[in-house]
Amino acid sequence: MSDFTSRRDFVKASGAAGLGLMIVKPETVRGSEANSALSIGLIGCGNRGSYVSGIFAKHEFAKVTAVCDIYEDKLAAAEKKYSGAKRYTRHQDLLASDVDAVLIATPAFLHPEHFEAAVAARKHVYMEKPAGVNAPGCRRVIEAAKKADKTKRITVDYQQRYGTDYRKAHAVVQSGELGAIKMVRAAWLGNGPPIVSGHPASEEKIRNWFFYREMSGDILVEQDCHNIDVVNWFTGTHPVKVSGYGSRQKRQYGDIFDNVACTFQFADGMVFSYSANQFRTPGFSDVSETFICEKGAVNVSRNGYTIWREKGAPEIARTKYDITEDIVREFIEGARAGKLENAAFTAAESTLVAVMALEACVTGREVTWEGISKA
């Protein structure tokens, strides 16, 4: 990857046109009548794939018509859930079918390979985060995204960017009403996923991929990239360096951390402090981002937001649904109506910041954006 010393360099090298909303004629996008449902192919029938595809299936203009997995038990469950869906054991075969769009919900280390193949097949793509688990994987996603069919929508499941209340909080910060952001803190303090058992030893690292760094990118890349993406979005840039630590205080399984603490710094000197763990105390959790501004502050999460201004009581909004519904709905409606985006570039950028932080925690050394971009 070339040396992206600033976000401007990154956007320029990635292809600036891919970062904005594009609108094309619906018939160009769909190649069929405007009132027909978007046919969806699910690649990866695990927990997340099953959950998100279920949200797709509830939409009146989407239908899951194909499912793909390497394990029979996962395929059987998906076939039962989506009656009539064609089954595939190779993603290449599903991509060669006539589905309009694919939902990529495979283990994180496979995202670059599967994204590249989906783009080459000229499908609308909805991919789970992160973009990859390391810098070469992110580079592969960027290069594939540059070649994407401009009549196809590419969305990555950084769902905060699509949540109604997140967008309201973002608009307040961007309006300048609270002045410039001067400090950022964020956290993901909560439980981790369950351990899967009852499978042959040969399947261990795929069945429990989250718990192996080479497969997931550790908690920073697989999970905490969400917070990092929100911070990149609200600040309009990315940190340029980070130091941090990680350890295993309770986890006995796999080889990933169960807690981390990182300090990021932006080019202008602004500090972003971050903490995460996966051994939540019952009844307590904190998954949110806080922006300290010149004339107020904003705390935002999937549960809503609180805005503090210089005068008056705080403004509070509460989100009472899963914001994954927002991103799925926008993907379906956008693909059908020709309101397109190529979110792979910002997704790769946020993932690279997470990779940068993981490198700092693993090595115990400060890591720079310049250094990780060259990796």
Side-chain angles (χ1 to χ4, degrees):
M1 182 178 290
S2 58
D3 175 11
F4 300 126
T5 56
S6 70
R7 190 171 195 273
R8 179 177 297 176
D9 295 334
F10 183 90
V11 171
K12 182 178 180 181
S14 299
L19 292 171
L21 184 70
M22 298 171 285
I23 301 178
V24 300
K25 294 180 179 179
E27 58 268 27
T28 302
V29 179
R30 295 284 284 100
S32 59
E33 293 184 12
N35 64 352
S36 62
L38 198 70
S39 59
I40 309 294
L42 169 61
I43 303 176
C45 303
N47 291 341
R48 184 65 182 174
S50 178
Y51 177 73
V52 176
S53 62
I55 297 175
F56 272 92
K58 291 178 181 178
H59 195 286
E60 64 175 323
F61 289 120
K63 183 177 181 180
V64 178
T65 61
V67 294
C68 177
D69 204 281
I70 62 173
Y71 294 125
E72 178 59 31
D73 59 314
K74 299 296 184 183
L75 266 178
E79 285 184 296
K80 184 177 180 180
K81 185 172 184 175
Y82 304 116
S83 178
K86 294 181 181 179
R87 60 143 51 206
Y88 297 91
T89 56
R90 289 169 19 99
H91 69 277
Q92 297 95 330
D93 295 333
L94 184 149
L95 290 170
S97 74
D98 61 357
V99 296
D100 299 313
V102 291
L103 162 58
I104 299 173
T106 48
F109 78 101
L110 291 171
H111 288 180
E113 175 188 349
H114 292 169
F115 177 78
E116 186 178 68
V119 167
R122 300 182 65 188
K123 306 296 185 183
H124 297 289
V125 180
Y126 183 109
M127 184 170 73
E128 285 299 312
K129 43 36 88 180
V133 300
N134 51 36
C138 292
R139 176 166 61 246
R140 189 172 178 180
V141 167
I142 291 168
E143 292 306 312
K146 291 178 183 178
K147 302 171 186 176
D149 183 338
K150 289 182 172 56
T151 69
K152 305 301 179 184
R153 184 178 177 101
I154 294 175
T155 298
V156 180
D157 196 10
Y158 283 111
Q159 62 263 51
Q160 284 93 324
R161 289 180 181 250
Y162 303 82
T164 299
D165 289 329
Y166 258 101
R167 285 181 169 177
K168 290 178 180 177
H170 179 263
V172 169
V173 172
Q174 293 301 302
S175 73
E177 173 192 348
L178 303 180
I181 301 171
K182 291 300 179 182
M183 186 177 181
V184 180
R185 71 168 296 276
W188 191 301
L189 305 176
N191 286 337
I195 298 170
V196 178
S197 60
H199 50 266
S202 61
E203 298 178 2
E204 165 59 20
K205 282 197 171 181
I206 298 295
R207 295 281 191 173
N208 283 305
W209 61 270
F210 178 88
F211 296 94
Y212 296 94
R213 186 173 292 158
E214 66 179 312
M215 305 288 191
S216 67
D218 214 299
I219 66 174
L220 268 162
V221 179
E222 202 286 329
Q223 171 190 273
D224 304 335
C225 61
H226 273 301
N227 300 112
I228 289 167
D229 184 65
V230 171
V231 173
N232 280 6
W233 176 34
F234 273 62
T235 61
T237 186
H238 58 245
V240 296
K241 58 185 177 181
V242 59
S243 59
Y245 298 94
S247 71
R248 289 161 61 90
Q249 293 296 305
K250 296 182 68 175
R251 180 161 280 149
Q252 303 295 318
Y253 190 84
D255 63 7
I256 62 172
F257 296 133
D258 64 10
N259 75 107
V260 296
C262 302
T263 301
F264 298 85
Q265 190 169 48
F266 291 84
D268 64 359
M270 184 174 67
V271 172
F272 160 29
S273 59
Y274 186 73
S275 58
N277 71 21
Q278 290 192 338
F279 47 86
R280 181 180 68 189
T281 301
F284 169 79
S285 68
D286 180 8
V287 181
S288 68
E289 301 82 33
T290 303
F291 301 91
I292 309 299
C293 304
E294 292 174 307
K295 297 182 287 185
V298 175
N299 173 264
V300 62
S301 76
R302 298 180 191 190
N303 296 320
Y305 63 74
T306 303
I307 300 173
W308 294 268
R309 296 176 172 85
E310 289 184 312
K311 296 180 180 179
E315 176 185 341
I316 299 173
R318 291 290 171 256
T319 306
K320 299 180 180 180
Y321 64 96
D322 182 356
I323 60 175
T324 306
E325 296 175 16
D326 289 329
I327 185 174
V328 169
R329 181 180 62 256
E330 192 162 321
F331 175 82
I332 295 169
E333 294 174 355
R336 293 183 67 252
K339 296 179 181 179
L340 307 180
E341 67 173 355
N342 189 336
F345 299 114
T346 54
E349 180 182 12
S350 295
T351 303
L352 273 172
V353 175
V355 170
M356 180 173 75
L358 177 62
E359 181 73 11
C361 290
V362 170
T363 64
R365 300 192 301 267
E366 182 179 82
V367 179
T368 66
W369 174 261
E370 179 181 0
I372 207 67
S373 296
K374 291 179 177 178

